[in-house]
Amino acid sequence: MSPEILTIGMFGVLLLMIMMGVSLSFALGGVAVIFSLILHGTNGLFPVISATFGSMWSVLLAAIPLFVFMGVALGRSKISSDLYNAFYLWSGRVNGGLLMGTTGFAAVLSAMTGSCAASTLTTGMVGMPSMERHGYDRKFVLGTIGAAGTLGILIPPSITLIVIGMTTGLSVGKLFMGGLVAGVGVLAVLLIYVGVRAWLNPASAPSTDQSVPMKEKIASLRSVIAPLLIVTIVLLSIFMGLATPTEAAGVGAVAVLVAVAFRGELNLRFIREVSYSTASMTGMVIWIVFGASAFVSVYSAAGGISFMQGLLLGLEVNPWTLIIVMQLVALVLGMFLDPIGIILLVMPIFFPVVVQLGFDPFWFAIIFQLNLCIGYITPPFGYNIFYLKSLSPETPIMELYKAVMPYVILMISCGILFMAFPGILTGSMNALMGN
């Protein structure tokens, strides 16, 4: 079978299966098995099994359930609600203050959970009631929460950055550093936008009249210490080379349990619920990894990846055009597919091309990740739009599209800025990593 027909066939059947509602992991694995049988008969199944077992032995995969456990445990405890209360007390007395505090809370929660869904839904459930009581514009609130929630896969510890490192061989620590720089940059842009919009239209985000004593504000910071200290220690240990991501995740998971125990919330029910949620989320991620590994092994063995790389490198266009096209592919796919599946499918094709063209692979990977974030809130199929719909069922879907569009434009602008001035990311990463 020619690489052209193979590419059309494998990706065409994959798209058809996804449209039929088949889970991404089983769609990927199913296509791999079908085309392996077509190409090589039953003997062709051995490479599929070998690729799956090869993925299972990756040490980096062990970090995923540990980071998921950290996030789920922090989210299940009352640490998240106390954390929001601290942001609430410190930010309420200026126009847009509650929403800026909620945005900051979403960013911290993203670092704690590494999940867009968890960050968006938890931020909405905790923050929306207080903002509605104070007369905040609902569309303004929903759009901001949706955008800030996407940072869950960008700000470390990010499971998707671990998968990028596993797929490309890039340093996970340096990817985490790049994700932190990009995430903080996007967060700053979101906060500036919220502040300016609230200043121009105070009725959309009025200040609160409540005066909070400084003693109470300072006391509220105690709830911030534990989660920030845990995340900071985990990330610093990775950045400074003191621990691998897997080792740091293990320490972080134990630290979270200790923090929850000190708060008197650790019991058998808590452990059971956290363990169940961790197993469910980890299982979903791992099955996608297995399915994608099988798909890529069949496609690569039949010459598909070499064909696509040759096709891209053979185009007589400016190298920057290729980079932009690859980033647009990430943005578009991010509206339809799980980010982990996208990374495992296209990074084996794109990464060698980026290296051969002479671009910094870390720079490319972080912008690629940012585009996956943007895909999460880009109409009409961005995942976070449907999370927002679940938070506010009475809001028409078209209103949600309008609510998120300013943030889509802002985040695309950030991506363009990072592309136009690579030193923002590469220089920051090198400086912070001590290179």
Side-chain angles (χ1 to χ4, degrees):
M1 185 181 296
S2 68
E4 295 88 346
I5 295 176
L6 177 75
T7 300
I8 295 171
M10 290 191 70
F11 284 94
V13 174
L14 177 63
L15 179 61
L16 180 64
M17 293 180 74
I18 291 172
M19 290 174 64
M20 291 171 62
V22 179
S23 170
L24 178 61
S25 55
F26 297 116
L28 288 164
V31 172
V33 171
I34 290 168
F35 276 83
S36 181
L37 290 172
I38 292 172
L39 292 168
H40 309 292
T42 54
N43 291 332
L45 293 177
F46 179 76
V48 174
I49 298 170
S50 178
T52 303
F53 271 90
S55 298
M56 291 171 65
W57 286 105
S58 173
V59 176
L60 278 174
L61 277 184
I64 293 176
L66 294 170
F67 279 130
V68 170
F69 181 88
M70 276 180 59
V72 173
L74 286 168
R76 290 271 179 177
S77 72
K78 294 180 181 178
I79 290 175
S80 58
S81 57
D82 289 347
L83 185 63
Y84 179 78
N85 184 58
F87 278 100
Y88 173 86
L89 294 177
W90 281 89
S91 62
R93 299 205 69 191
V94 296
N95 290 330
L98 287 182
L99 193 50
M100 285 190 281
T102 301
T103 305
F105 168 73
V108 174
L109 196 62
S110 294
M112 286 162 49
T113 64
S115 165
C116 289
S119 177
T120 302
L121 293 172
T122 303
T123 301
M125 288 186 290
V126 174
M128 283 182 64
S130 62
M131 286 184 282
E132 287 181 351
R133 284 198 307 270
H134 289 93
Y136 273 56
D137 180 80
R138 176 169 290 189
K139 288 192 294 183
F140 190 15
V141 171
L142 288 170
T144 307
I145 290 175
T150 65
L151 300 177
I153 61 171
L154 185 61
I155 296 177
S158 164
I159 293 171
T160 46
L161 288 176
I162 293 174
V163 175
I164 288 178
M166 186 181 73
T167 306
T168 62
L170 295 174
S171 163
V172 173
K174 197 167 182 179
L175 286 171
F176 275 6
M177 183 62 75
L180 182 63
V181 172
V184 170
V186 174
L187 174 63
V189 170
L190 296 180
L191 290 172
I192 292 170
Y193 172 77
V194 170
V196 171
R197 182 170 168 180
W199 176 64
L200 294 173
N201 184 12
S204 66
S207 62
T208 65
D209 297 325
Q210 180 184 7
S211 178
V212 181
M214 182 57 67
K215 184 179 180 180
E216 187 176 344
K217 286 184 177 181
I218 294 173
S220 70
L221 293 178
R222 286 180 299 180
S223 62
V224 182
I225 294 173
L228 287 185
L229 189 61
I230 291 169
V231 173
T232 300
I233 291 173
V234 168
L235 294 181
L236 281 179
S237 65
I238 297 172
F239 295 158
M240 296 174 68
L242 300 177
T244 65
T246 304
E247 292 166 346
V251 172
V254 173
V256 168
L257 282 180
V258 172
V260 173
F262 270 114
R263 294 171 60 90
E265 298 178 42
L266 187 63
N267 52 46
L268 186 60
R269 180 182 177 184
F270 179 87
I271 294 174
R272 184 173 61 247
E273 290 178 351
V274 170
S275 299
Y276 179 81
S277 297
T278 300
S280 299
M281 293 176 66
T282 303
M284 180 188 70
V285 172
I286 298 300
W287 273 110
I288 292 174
V289 171
F290 292 165
S293 298
F295 184 97
V296 170
S297 71
V298 174
Y299 186 61
S300 177
I305 289 181
S306 298
F307 163 72
M308 289 300 299
Q309 290 172 358
L311 181 65
L312 290 171
L313 291 169
L315 295 174
E316 295 182 1
V317 296
N318 188 292
W320 276 97
T321 303
L322 279 180
I323 294 294
I324 292 170
V325 168
M326 288 188 280
Q327 296 293 355
L328 287 175
V329 168
L331 176 59
V332 174
L333 290 178
M335 293 186 280
F336 302 97
L337 300 178
D338 184 88
I340 293 173
I342 297 169
I343 292 165
L344 292 168
L345 277 176
V346 303
M347 268 298 185
I349 299 172
F350 289 172
F351 182 74
V353 174
V354 172
V355 173
Q356 194 162 338
L357 291 174
F359 290 93
D360 187 295
F362 289 96
W363 165 81
F364 177 85
I366 297 303
I367 299 176
F368 187 92
Q369 184 80 344
L370 175 58
N371 282 313
L372 295 181
C373 293
I374 299 170
Y376 254 88
I377 58 165
T378 303
F381 302 114
Y383 283 122
N384 266 22
I385 295 173
F386 298 101
Y387 298 148
L388 295 176
K389 182 66 176 175
S390 70
L391 289 171
S392 181
E394 67 278 10
T395 304
I397 195 71
M398 289 304 297
E399 293 299 311
L400 290 176
Y401 290 164
K402 294 176 184 176
V404 300
M405 280 312 297
Y407 299 95
V408 173
I409 295 170
L410 284 173
M411 294 176 76
I412 290 175
S413 301
C414 289
I416 293 172
L417 184 67
F418 292 147
M419 287 189 71
F421 302 98
I424 296 175
L425 289 178
T426 57
S428 300
M429 281 190 284
N430 290 331
L432 291 171
M433 294 293 287
N435 295 333

